[in-house]
Amino acid sequence: VAWATNWPPCGNMPRPLSSWTLGSRLVLIAASGMMASLVVSGLAMYNAAKAEDQVMLDQRLGQMGVVMLGFVEHELTERPGVSLSDATPPIDAGNASTLYQFQVWSHDGRLQLRSANSRTDQPLMPLDKLGFQTTKVGAVSLRTYALAGANNAFVVQVAENVENRTIEVATVTLRYLWFLLLPFALLFVATWLLLRQAMR
């Protein structure tokens, strides 16, 4: 069956599927199946990466909270008798400020320290909550973590933008999909050649 010259449909208007040759239809079926497999694989990888990365990103956020707690306690130890409010807010966290923001609140609800990119009018999460929580500050969704200092004298809150997390996971998934495109393209070419040979 000489179908290679008839597929894909040419001309200004695409031909109806009923006029396609058998070979053209088989190639279309194979291509559709491979594309569906690629989409399903991408979604599966994204969901798997999202679940795994959420755990990893929470661990990273928790470590940031421990670092900030250690910093605050170090300031108090180095300067005994000096209140926390005597430290200079806001603090420039350097490269970490592009990923995180933090606040330190006293037990009576006063903002003591903060990163340069955090707000001053509200906490990153309710002050009576500790551990992980997803909150909304203004129009921004944040993944937050809070831990208390010695004798509950202050609370350290650190946060990461949820949108940044989503972008990070999506970027990793897209990299995997790019690696999948090459074997899928080779498989399609091999299928097309085999179908062409079989139809002959």
Side-chain angles (χ1 to χ4, degrees), residues 110-158:
R110 290 182 294 112
L111 180 62
Q112 304 295 292
L113 297 172
R114 67 180 178 90
S115 59
N117 60 342
S118 68
R119 299 177 57 159
T120 60
D121 57 342
Q122 71 179 101
L124 297 172
M125 61 186 290
L127 295 177
D128 59 341
K129 303 291 185 182
L130 298 177
F132 291 99
Q133 188 171 340
T134 300
T135 60
K136 202 158 192 175
V137 177
V140 180
S141 294
L142 299 174
R143 183 63 171 169
T144 57
Y145 178 69
L147 63 167
N151 301 319
N152 293 319
F154 57 89
V155 174
V156 175
Q157 297 181 341
V158 292

